[in-house]
Amino acid sequence: MLYAIMATDKPDSLNDRLAARPDHLARLQQLQDQGRLVLAGPHPAVDSADPGSAGFTGSLVVAEFASLDDARQWANADPYVAAGVYEQVTIKPSSVYSRPEQGGTMFRSLICSAVLGSILLTQPALAQEPADNTAQADDSSQAQDIGTLQAELARVEAERQRLADQLDGGAQGERVEQLQSENQQLRNDNQAARLDAQARLIKQQQRWFLIGGLSVAASILMGFVLARMGRQKRREWLN
């Protein structure tokens, strides 16, 4: 049976989410390889496929599990739970209707056409059988074709979501590189500002040292002049 795992992120948990994301995607890939994953993806915090620093508000996973307890055990073992990304996780039984998406419409239309064509081609042969056998064969063929179509639609939807997650991962990687570049630029600006402040301080100290030296020289010169004037007055008094 299908179960929907709906998780809500804690505030300011983007860095923890990015750190645990590879392990989280690896578990989703296991479900995909087993043919149990229907859809999965995060919820951007803003109305954009690339929320940037705004981050995400949670995640949604729809997959097949044997029971609600199995779905709960799988969700509790998620790396996002261990990393403290999720604030709340809700698990409910679910049934999914997959409508055709852009890029997969032609492929799904071909599948539907093939199924309908096979049903129509079987009608002349089935008409020769007794009425009861014809009805049973029709029901069995249609049920099998519908099941095959649903399984193929689920597989295509899961593949589309996996590609979307890969593109989303690339966008996140570019955003992280941009933030690292901006951080390095801020460090360089801070270092330049400190060097400039030190240079101004040294220049100011040199200026005060020069003023102090000139003051001392002026004081010595003034003392010398006053002493000389004193000796002249004394000499005049003795005379």
Side-chain angles (χ1 to χ4, degrees):
M1 184 174 180
L2 296 181
Y3 294 88
I5 302 173
M6 299 165 286
T8 302
D9 286 10
K10 294 180 180 179
D12 301 326
S13 60
L14 178 58
N15 291 334
D16 295 333
R17 170 182 275 271
L18 294 177
R21 190 171 187 272
D23 295 335
H24 172 78
L25 294 180
R27 298 185 78 233
L28 293 178
Q29 185 61 46
Q30 292 178 355
L31 292 179
Q32 170 67 20
D33 294 340
Q34 297 169 3
R36 297 163 53 193
L37 182 65
V38 177
L39 62 90
H43 302 304
V46 295
D47 188 11
S48 174
D50 180 11
S53 60
F56 303 91
T57 61
S59 299
L60 171 65
V61 176
V62 178
E64 181 181 358
F65 295 95
S67 64
L68 181 61
D69 289 337
D70 289 342
R72 185 176 291 111
Q73 292 178 4
W74 188 91
N76 290 337
D78 196 291
Y80 282 167
V81 175
V85 176
Y86 290 155
E87 182 177 43
Q88 181 180 2
V89 178
T90 303
I91 305 172
K92 294 183 178 181
S94 177
S95 59
V96 177
Y97 167 73
S98 298
R99 67 179 180 85
E101 298 290 345
Q102 183 178 3
T105 303
M106 182 178 295
F107 180 73
R108 297 179 186 179
S109 298
L110 291 175
I111 295 175
C112 294
S113 299
V115 172
L116 293 175
S118 63
I119 295 174
L120 293 175
L121 290 175
T122 58
Q123 293 302 319
L126 293 175
Q128 299 176 3
E129 299 294 330
D132 293 341
N133 293 337
T134 301
Q136 292 177 358
D138 287 342
D139 293 340
S140 176
S141 177
Q142 290 179 3
Q144 182 178 1
D145 291 336
I146 291 174
T148 301
L149 178 59
Q150 289 178 343
E152 187 63 26
L153 290 177
R155 187 190 69 79
V156 173
E157 181 67 23
E159 181 66 17
R160 184 194 64 81
Q161 185 61 43
R162 184 180 69 82
L163 294 176
D165 288 340
Q166 290 179 353
L167 292 176
D168 179 63
Q172 289 295 328
E174 293 177 358
R175 180 58 180 170
V176 170
E177 292 180 358
Q178 181 182 358
L179 292 175
Q180 290 176 346
S181 177
E182 293 177 355
N183 187 28
Q184 184 63 38
Q185 183 62 36
L186 290 175
R187 290 180 180 178
N188 294 338
D189 293 342
N190 186 28
Q191 182 68 18
R194 285 193 298 177
L195 293 176
D196 184 65
Q198 291 178 356
R200 289 199 303 269
L201 179 61
I202 293 174
K203 187 175 182 179
Q204 186 176 11
Q205 290 176 346
Q206 291 175 347
R207 185 184 299 111
W208 283 110
F209 180 79
L210 179 61
I211 294 174
L214 292 176
S215 299
V216 171
S219 299
I220 294 174
L221 180 61
M222 182 65 68
F224 176 77
V225 171
L226 292 175
R228 186 172 182 181
M229 292 175 61
R231 286 196 299 269
Q232 289 179 353
K233 289 185 179 179
R234 183 178 180 185
R235 193 176 299 115
E236 291 176 355
W237 180 74
L238 291 176
N239 292 334

